[in-house]
Amino acid sequence: MRDYTYSDLKDLASDADHKAAMLELLLAFDTFCEEHGLTYYLSGGTLLGAARHKGFIPWDDDVDVNMPREDCEKLMELSGGRIGEFELMPPNSSQRYFAYHWKLYSERILVAKRTKGGIGGKVYPIFLDIFPIEGLPDTPEGNREHYAEIKRRKDRVRHARNVRKYRGRNPYRILRNRIATRVYRSIGVGPLFDKVIEHATSLHFDDSDYVGVMMTNVHTTEERVVKAEYAPVIRMEFEGHLLPAPAGYDTYLRQLYGANYMEWLPVHKRVPRHDFVTFFPHEPGEKPLVVGAPTESVDDLPVADDDEMQDEMA
């Protein structure tokens, strides 16, 4: 996938345009999984939307699914990295679009994150997040330590990528951060990333009584569910389509959003998690002058760091 910058942004896209493009992504993904016998589930806010709204939460701005890791890997192998006109990217496949999970991109709509001054420098296509489901320890205490170790290893990757964790003024912590960054950059992102996945996959899905997603920072240890209750596939209505959901969706949603998850949020809390601004891209060869665009080169613009974005939302 090519890199996108301000110069690729054309007209603002409406919320309806954005949701239509996200639904198109989801339905293409669903069709491919159905044709190839792959298991997945609506998850997170997308599953909550199915349960409460029979579709997108009105103020939501992304779409999420969970999938057993083995099926994620089969998805990549069978698709060859493309599902129809959409590009499937595996974890750690791009420095500019770094993530620990699979992402399916549609270049019909581009997004940038809203900032106080307008929009930031991160410009990229809309996406479907595909989170791998892993086997997890049998006890809550074991699960917390399991996730804590994943987080420690992910912190080393962030140092290696020079995505600095500490932004305060304590001189000792500044020095420690700089030393850690130098040490882990010398090791490299690839080997450190592999250590994260090695620990995350140390308990196999098929051999575990408890499973869950550990590759997101928005929801972590509360994702742990009893496999026998969660894993059977049912169908739930979503924007007029019947799509796969976990049989244990009620327990899952209660753990993530509380016992009253079917109640609408207060009006002042009905805001998108990512706070995206959405645009239609320019057609190839159509490059008008962009007034007020950043002067930095593409290399200087911030990377679309999924891990950092999730930290901001947590």
Side-chain angles (χ1 to χ4, degrees), residues 114-127:
R114 193 185 309 275
T115 66
K116 291 181 180 179
I119 59 174
K122 302 175 184 179
V123 177
Y124 43 101
I126 63 164
F127 51 86

Side-chain angles (χ1 to χ4, degrees), residues 116-142:
K116 291 181 180 179
I119 59 174
K122 302 175 184 179
V123 177
Y124 43 101
I126 63 164
F127 51 86
L128 166 72
D129 282 326
I130 307 165
F131 294 104
I133 308 174
E134 324 280 8
L136 295 177
D138 288 337
T139 67
E141 296 78 11

Side-chain angles (χ1 to χ4, degrees), residues 189-208:
V189 173
L192 294 169
F193 175 89
D194 291 343
K195 288 293 185 181
V196 176
I197 304 306
E198 177 185 318
H199 190 74
T201 58
S202 58
L203 298 170
H204 196 275
F205 179 92
D206 290 341
D207 300 329
S208 301

Side-chain angles (χ1 to χ4, degrees), residues 2 5 26 31 53 55 74 79 92 112 128-129 146 149 156 171 174 178-179 191 196 212 214 254 257 266 287 311:
R2 54 169 291 202
T5 65
L26 179 58
T31 298
H53 305 273
K74 288 180 182 176
S79 69
N92 192 29
L128 166 72
D129 282 326
H146 181 74
E149 179 59 26
R156 294 165 193 161
I174 291 172
R178 288 177 178 172
I179 293 172
V196 176
M214 292 288 105
R254 285 172 182 270
Y257 302 107
K287 290 290 182 182
D311 280 349

Side-chain angles (χ1 to χ4, degrees), residues 250-262:
D250 180 67
T251 298
Y252 171 85
L253 291 175
R254 285 172 182 270
Q255 291 178 188
L256 267 59
Y257 302 107
N260 299 324
Y261 69 82
M262 289 297 288

Side-chain angles (χ1 to χ4, degrees), residues 30-46:
D30 175 72
T31 298
F32 188 90
C33 291
E34 181 73 19
E35 290 175 350
H36 293 87
L38 301 176
T39 298
Y40 84 92
Y41 311 91
L42 301 181
S43 67
T46 307

Side-chain angles (χ1 to χ4, degrees), residues 34-165:
E34 181 73 19
E35 290 175 350
H36 293 87
L38 301 176
T39 298
Y40 84 92
Y41 311 91
L42 301 181
S43 67
T46 307
L47 180 58
L48 176 59
R52 194 169 67 193
H53 305 273
K54 298 187 184 301
F56 289 110
I57 296 173
W59 52 92
D60 205 0
D61 59 1
D62 70 346
V63 58
D64 301 324
V65 300
N66 289 350
M67 190 177 215
R69 180 174 287 273
E70 185 174 335
D71 281 30
C72 291
E73 293 167 350
K74 288 180 182 176
L75 174 72
M76 195 71 215
E77 179 182 353
L78 292 168
S79 69
R82 294 204 71 84
I83 295 178
E85 63 185 88
F86 308 126
E87 184 168 1
L88 179 68
M89 293 185 69
N92 192 29
S93 56
S94 168
Q95 172 68 11
R96 190 159 168 77
Y97 302 97
F98 182 84
Y100 284 94
H101 58 278
W102 285 256
K103 298 174 84 78
L104 184 65
Y105 286 99
S106 169
E107 298 179 289
R108 295 190 181 184
I109 300 283
L110 301 181
V111 298
K113 191 170 183 180
R114 193 185 309 275
T115 66
K116 291 181 180 179
I119 59 174
K122 302 175 184 179
V123 177
Y124 43 101
I126 63 164
F127 51 86
L128 166 72
D129 282 326
I130 307 165
F131 294 104
I133 308 174
E134 324 280 8
L136 295 177
D138 288 337
T139 67
E141 296 78 11
N143 191 58
R144 284 191 290 270
E145 177 51 36
H146 181 74
Y147 177 72
E149 179 59 26
I150 290 174
K151 191 173 185 304
R152 283 191 286 269
R153 297 186 184 203
K154 289 173 74 173
D155 285 345
R156 294 165 193 161
V157 174
R158 295 188 69 182
H159 281 296
R161 297 182 59 242
N162 203 23
V163 181
R164 291 182 176 167
K165 190 172 178 62

